[in-house]
Amino acid sequence: MVTAPEPLDVRRIRNFSIIAHVDHGKSTLSDRILEITGAVDPRLMRAQYLDSMDIERERGITIKAQNVRVHFEEHVLQLIDTPGHVDFGYEVSRSLAACEGAVLLVDASQGIQAQTLANCYQALENDLEIVPVLNKIDLPAADPERCMEELDRVLGLPPESVLAISAKTGEGVRELLRAIIERIPAPSGDPELPLRALVFDSHYDQYRGVISSIRIVEGVMRDHVKIKMMQAGASHDIEEIGIRTPEMLRVSQLGPGEVGYLVAGIKDVGGARSGETITESARPATRALEGYQDPKPMIFCGIYPIDGDDLPDLRDALDKLMLNDASITYEPESSHALGFGFRCGFLGLLHMEIVRERLEREFNLDIIATAPSVVYRAFLSDGTEMRVDNPVELPDPSRLDHIDEPMLSISILTPSEFLGTVMDLCQSRRAEMVKMDYLSTERVELRYRIPLAEVVIDFFDALKSRTKGYASLDYEPAEYVTSNLVRVDLLINHEPVDAFSTIVHRSNADLYGRKMAERLKELIPRQMFDVPIQAAIGGRVIARETVKARRKDVLAKCYGGDITRKRKLLEKQKEGKKRMKNLGRVEVPQEAFVAALRLEED
């Protein structure tokens, strides 16, 4: 065991995050910093060292923020590597709360992108010192002069403050580390005051319970003392405190400004949520730290176990994921078609996809997710207001006065050659242009107000395919506006299947109903009777397809003979099919539910 006799001198500590747009080189820069500071044995070094989840390595993206302590020129640098995708912006905001500075990384060939702006503004709101860095200067397509001019004009960062590096080759990384020491202020905090520590992340270990990432703000946290969670009100005995180097290394105490981890035998996953303030039981602080605003879910979907017996396991898995990712919400719900499950809220479509994949991989669950929907406000004729996140809950049209839908303010950065096709895409999704700015002769920033429901299915994919991958998207919630919306129900053999119900704009309802009916006709297996598939708005059918019955040749053994004998057999078959149609139930296969999500792929 490694122990520290005294808390670190705060003047030697620098806490910083690396923030950037997707794929601008955050994880690669983290790898080079680990190499240059000797934090990782060269024999054990691998690409994306801090990305610990298999799903992160496969997709090549960071999903969870990771922290690590390294030593450089008699200083202690505490680095937090953050995600870049817009759906994981909440991870970035939590990480920034544990830092005094941020390294803003910009790809020298792509320049400023949507998330570059969003993350930079977030860092400025937290009063962090920003160190601007141009990465990938070794690429043939790099244009550092243009990027520096953009940084100066758009973000007000003077060219002389911008560092040029290549995280891949290591060029300029030592100079960056020296700039971090010079420019980013040391943390403040009095070791004599009562302990106050901020929990900025947690995960669940099946052997040790909750392991929390913490930042000491004031006082000193010592091993084996009794601590109190100020928001939860629970007390625990510290089993272990330590730092990540990046391996977990036990220490005897952590002082002001230090970032580390805490194990206190917490088995209840609600006992150490992100934003929690930790203090000592014997000498408690009087006021909790501000913590974080709770993120508001933007899209919802139903998650159901394929085997109903797995419902308790699904609930436990969601509890453990909520500890690690506080932006997930869930509540129980039931469906006629799918049984019992949970209505889950997410920050975006990628977030939903990642959570679903983590449930399947990390917890070995077989699950079905319904089509995503957003939160509508339904105003009834009697003046009452309803919050509707499940299309099935939308009241009958005769009781409705009007429906409000959520809007987004989106920012799209695109090369000017794709301007026309991007505008066409936005207009087809009921978007209204707010403004258009040319960042340079080659790049344009477009700002739109667009219904959230038009974005959640495949807007991002369509944007990328229309611009050959060059456009970038950032969004934030806006207000609610009244729209002409209807609920489209799918009926199979005259029975509504609630999992397929969705709320769409009236102008798109016929097209949506026709597409879904055609898709389900391909997916539902043939029965011994005709199966009608209908799309309906209220009591009005807007589209219909029929899955034709299987044909059994009842005349196969009938050779020759009187025609009345054949007719008798055919009449008997007809009666049987009629009876079967009245009594028969159509089982909808699992792939039909998955197809509802994949409707736009064609």
Side-chain angles (χ1 to χ4, degrees), residues 1 32 44 121 153 184 210-211 223 239 246 303 306 310 335 386 389 411 448 453 467 481 485 512 546 587:
M1 184 180 81
R32 290 299 81 72
L44 302 175
Y121 292 147
R153 189 171 63 254
I184 293 177
V210 177
I211 300 178
D223 206 358
E239 292 178 3
I303 292 184
I306 288 176
D310 290 339
S335 154
M386 274 182 70
D389 61 33
S411 167
Y448 277 93
T467 60
V481 299
L485 301 171
Y512 175 84
T546 304
E587 289 295 324

Side-chain angles (χ1 to χ4, degrees), residues 3 16 39 57 167 182 227 246 328 380 383 392 523 540 543 570:
T3 58
F16 69 98
R57 301 184 156 282
E182 288 165 17
I227 54 167
I328 304 169
L380 306 183
V392 178
L523 290 161
R540 185 171 67 88
L570 289 169

Side-chain angles (χ1 to χ4, degrees), residues 71-88:
H71 293 263
F72 184 75
E73 295 184 355
E74 298 183 354
H75 282 77
V76 172
L77 306 181
Q78 295 183 140
L79 144 74
I80 300 178
D81 178 23
T82 62
H85 196 281
V86 62
D87 280 14
F88 304 113

Side-chain angles (χ1 to χ4, degrees), residues 58 68 74 93 162 186 211 317 327 338 400 431 435 582 585-586:
E58 285 170 22
V68 62
E74 298 183 354
S93 68
V162 181
I211 300 178
S327 52
L338 300 171
L400 275 175
K435 71 171 186 175
N582 290 334
R585 287 192 67 236
V586 180

